[in-house]
Amino acid sequence: MIAEELINQMIPPLKVYDTVDKALRWMEEFRVNELAVARNRKYIGLATEVSLIELNDRNLTLEQVKLEFQDVHVMHFQHFYDVMEVAIKNKIQVVPVLDEVQEFMGIITINDTLAAFGQMSALQGQGSILVLSMPERDYSLSQISRLIEEESAKILSAYVSPDELDPYNIKLTLKLNTTDLSRIIATLERFEYRITAQFQDGSKYDVGRDRLDMLLKYLDI
């Protein structure tokens, strides 16, 4: 699922001539802490509730106040994992979406992203999640998939991200169709893959957390 498919059409952008009062009323109405501001179809930043409520004059226009996150956005073709990454990294509830010519297309809310995450078939039903850390030069999904399939399991989804604990490594998050990880872990470790986290139905991660856990913690659900 890509960003363009997650745009919330019910939440329009604010304009630079809109007032602080209007922005705060819209935030309350749409139940978000930020709203995108656009000028001539160009995204120019987020108006945030925290900064607006500190202003004494709510009749000021948004052109007269400091906007935030001017460089924070995703492109319309990016995967929704990237939307989650941007939201979590910047601690925001809405993520602006731009097209190829940098024109504003709309916003995605965290709730929209969470709903999309829950609809992913690969994340439904029984299964387990493994998180591996490795040097980027050693990454080969085909080899890892072969090792896992030799243990009568399959990879349902895979996501590569930087390893926040080691800038020279990458982190590979795998969703598998089995809840029995013991033989798979033994096989991967035999080939010197380092397992940093594991999650099975009814259990918790030993170390770290996958993106769903990060998102839920961020939402404080």
Side-chain angles (χ1 to χ4, degrees):
M1 190 170 291
I2 61 174
E4 184 175 6
E5 299 171 336
L6 296 173
I7 291 175
N8 191 319
Q9 304 294 344
M10 301 300 294
I11 305 180
L14 291 162
K15 304 296 190 294
V16 291
Y17 51 76
D18 287 331
T19 64
V20 169
D21 182 68
K22 179 178 179 178
L24 289 172
R25 285 189 286 107
W26 277 23
M27 289 177 193
E28 182 179 3
E29 180 180 348
F30 295 121
R31 298 183 180 181
V32 293
N33 294 334
E34 308 93 18
L35 283 172
V37 182
R39 177 194 289 125
N40 298 326
R41 299 181 60 84
K42 297 292 184 180
Y43 167 71
I44 60 173
L46 291 181
T48 68
E49 183 181 38
V50 171
S51 61
L52 295 186
I53 60 176
E54 295 178 348
L55 299 173
N56 294 324
D57 186 357
R58 295 199 173 186
N59 290 318
L60 291 173
T61 66
L62 296 179
E63 194 169 31
Q64 297 173 291
V65 304
K66 181 180 178 181
L67 300 178
E68 301 180 56
F69 305 104
Q70 291 93 337
D71 298 322
V72 175
H73 63 270
V74 295
M75 300 301 292
H76 70 99
F77 53 77
Q78 287 184 257
H79 194 272
F80 85 94
Y81 279 142
D82 296 320
V83 179
M84 294 170 61
E85 188 85 22
V86 169
I88 293 168
K89 180 180 179 181
N90 294 282
K91 298 181 179 179
I92 52 179
Q93 288 187 346
V94 303
V95 178
V97 182
L98 307 185
D99 64 13
E100 288 90 345
V101 294
Q102 301 294 303
E103 289 193 346
F104 178 78
M105 294 181 66
I107 61 170
I108 300 170
T109 71
I110 285 296
N111 286 337
D112 297 331
T113 309
L114 181 60
F117 206 108
Q119 291 169 5
M120 290 277 293
S121 60
L123 295 171
Q124 295 173 348
Q126 290 190 336
S128 57
I129 293 174
L130 274 181
V131 182
L132 292 69
S133 178
M134 69 196 76
E136 187 173 2
R137 65 178 181 275
D138 296 337
Y139 170 65
S140 173
L141 186 59
S142 59
Q143 179 183 7
I144 295 170
S145 178
R146 178 179 58 80
L147 294 174
I148 290 174
E149 289 180 2
E150 287 177 355
E151 299 300 334
S152 302
K154 291 187 180 297
I155 297 174
L156 299 178
S157 68
Y159 182 72
V160 178
S161 60
D163 189 335
E164 62 272 11
L165 300 178
D166 188 338
Y168 299 102
N169 281 7
I170 61 170
K171 185 167 63 175
L172 175 64
T173 303
L174 300 173
K175 171 71 176 183
L176 307 179
N177 68 339
T178 180
T179 57
D180 183 4
L181 294 176
S182 55
R183 291 173 57 186
I184 294 172
I185 290 174
T187 297
L188 292 172
E189 289 180 339
R190 189 167 68 250
F191 284 83
E192 299 184 348
Y193 288 104
R194 184 165 66 92
I195 311 297
T196 62
Q198 56 178 294
F199 175 77
Q200 295 152 290
D201 288 346
S203 67
K204 295 182 178 179
Y205 273 113
D206 296 326
V207 183
R209 47 191 162 177
D210 71 353
R211 275 170 163 61
L212 177 59
D213 188 38
M214 290 174 63
L215 186 60
L216 293 176
K217 286 179 181 289
Y218 174 63
L219 290 171
D220 195 26
I221 293 179

